[in-house]
Amino acid sequence: MTVSQVNSTGANAATSTTGRGYSSLDQTDFLRLLTVQVQQQDPFDPVDNKEMLAQMAQFSSLAGINDVNSNLEKITAKLDALAAAQSAQSTGA
């Protein structure tokens, strides 16, 4: 079987994340990679469903952890501001 043309979607997905670290990948990048993976897989030997679900579960866990981290950073910032305000009150009074 000969393939005459390769869809450039995979190349576009790969180049759109070039220059960024892994820590900056987000849900959009994951969905783009997942779509390319499904498009490029061999129809006679597809990716195992368990493997695909495991990848999705890992990303879901990572997204949840990132949300928790973001919330903790906000809490820390508010606590720091509160501590600074209390420190300013105690030195000014």
Side-chain angles (χ1 to χ4, degrees):
M1 179 169 128
T2 305
V3 177
S4 60
Q5 183 179 8
V6 176
N7 188 349
S8 65
T9 306
N12 290 342
T15 57
S16 68
T17 59
T18 303
R20 296 190 302 170
Y22 289 117
S23 62
S24 67
L25 295 177
D26 61 5
Q27 229 169 3
T28 305
D29 296 316
F30 173 77
L31 292 176
R32 187 176 299 126
L33 289 170
L34 181 65
T35 303
V36 171
Q37 179 181 0
V38 170
Q39 288 175 345
Q40 302 298 322
Q41 73 179 339
D42 181 4
F44 298 108
D45 187 23
V47 175
D48 184 27
N49 287 339
K50 291 178 187 176
E51 210 174 298
M52 186 74 72
L53 288 174
Q55 289 176 4
M56 293 174 76
Q58 286 175 345
F59 185 77
S60 178
S61 295
L62 180 61
I65 290 169
N66 284 338
D67 288 342
V68 168
N69 188 32
S70 174
N71 288 335
L72 286 174
E73 287 175 356
K74 290 175 186 176
I75 290 170
T76 301
K78 288 181 181 182
L79 287 173
D80 288 344
L82 181 62
Q86 287 180 343
S87 176
Q89 264 185 348
S90 65
T91 57

